[in-house]
Amino acid sequence: MKFSFSLPLAANISRRDDSDSADVPLQCSGYNLVLADTGHISHVMLEERDEDDELAALYAEAVSKARASAPKGAHIGAVLGSEDCSAEEYDCGAFEAAVFDYLEKMTILRDEGAELILLHGCSRLWQMRAGVIAAVQAEIPVFVTVNADEDGKSENEIDYIAALITLQSLGASAFGIRSTDGIGELPELLEIALPHAEIPLIAVADLSSLDKDSLKKLAYSGASVFINTAPDKDGAAAERLLSCQNIFDPESEKDSYAAAVESEVFFLPDNIELSQPIECDYSMSDELIDMDDENINSICIVLHSSDDVSLLAVNSNMSRLPVTVHASDATTLEAALRYFTGRLIVDSRCPIERRELEALCARYGGIVY
């Protein structure tokens, strides 16, 4: 679902105040978005406590506390992480399990009154994609955040621009950046992302520690949503943030014609030179690596079946060129678009009715060429 809240938006997480009674929630004075402290609640945690049937009750309690701590008229959201979908190796089964888990949680939180989901702390792009697909199905807006160092990479080598391009094309409502090299790197990361952003950008930081000029710099660099990671009882940071000018213009021209894999984004020329078609087999990873030396700017992979899709999915990050797929039927194409960890190009010459092909690409963010 597309973003529908007024900007700028300043968010804080409603947590218990350790200095007070455990039953008194932290007040989030001044904020116009309060996030329920649900990120730590998972099936893994509940199984350890032998309370697996308490998920809905704990979510309801957390959302209620967020609502009690929120100023009048503030929006209520909830936080989800990736603890229940942290498979050691990626495959199509792991992806579907993650979508199912997110969909269950998002549906409960939506029904309890959460207006949006913050997907925070995912270590892999496929987990983020699973969360966005689940949110679209649950019909609830989702904000996704990534960590990035000064080079724009996470500790698992996720490129933050590749993540932005992928997730916004899939239906994310806003995209957030948390600098791992300190707050000083965040404005530059935002400035680089802004020309490519079709959705609002989020600055994630300890905003309570920043002065007015530093907060304004984040806004002038492109942030129009601000998520505070530290307590701000008196709402001073929120007051300063909500007075910042919003420079995000959803109608401006965006440089987002790009394909992506987890570790790299590929801004595409008008003319794409495809490789000779590659068939999927268990040695395709070597072939994808060797293609880096060819005089082409996209690798063409032919898909005949779900087995081919599975091989493509697990080898998606072996290429350092954008991937174009030629699928033999609509079912195979949909699976490829769903499971590829990034953003695919789709060969318009696939033997699929053009309207159906374009509809599938629109649903999963594919680029028709």
Side-chain angles (χ1 to χ4, degrees), residues 10 16 21 37 41 44 50-51 53 81 86 97 157 166 189 193 200 228 234 244 248 253 257 265 284 289 297 324:
R16 298 181 190 273
S21 166
D37 189 16
I41 302 172
V44 173
D50 196 25
E51 298 177 357
D53 60 340
S86 54
E157 293 300 308
T166 298
L189 293 171
N228 190 16
D234 60 5
C244 289
F248 173 71
E253 185 175 352
Y257 184 58
V265 63
M284 69 179 298
I289 292 171
N297 54 25
T324 299

Side-chain angles (χ1 to χ4, degrees), residues 3 40 46 54 59 74 85 102 106 126 141 153 167 171-172 174 177 184 186 191 205 211 225 262 339 365:
F3 193 94
H40 66 288
L46 293 173
E54 294 298 318
Y59 278 168
C85 59
Y102 281 132
M106 291 175 181
W126 69 265
K153 300 286 189 179
L167 298 172
I177 306 162
L186 191 50
E191 286 177 1
D211 58 25
V225 182
E262 187 173 61
Y339 298 127

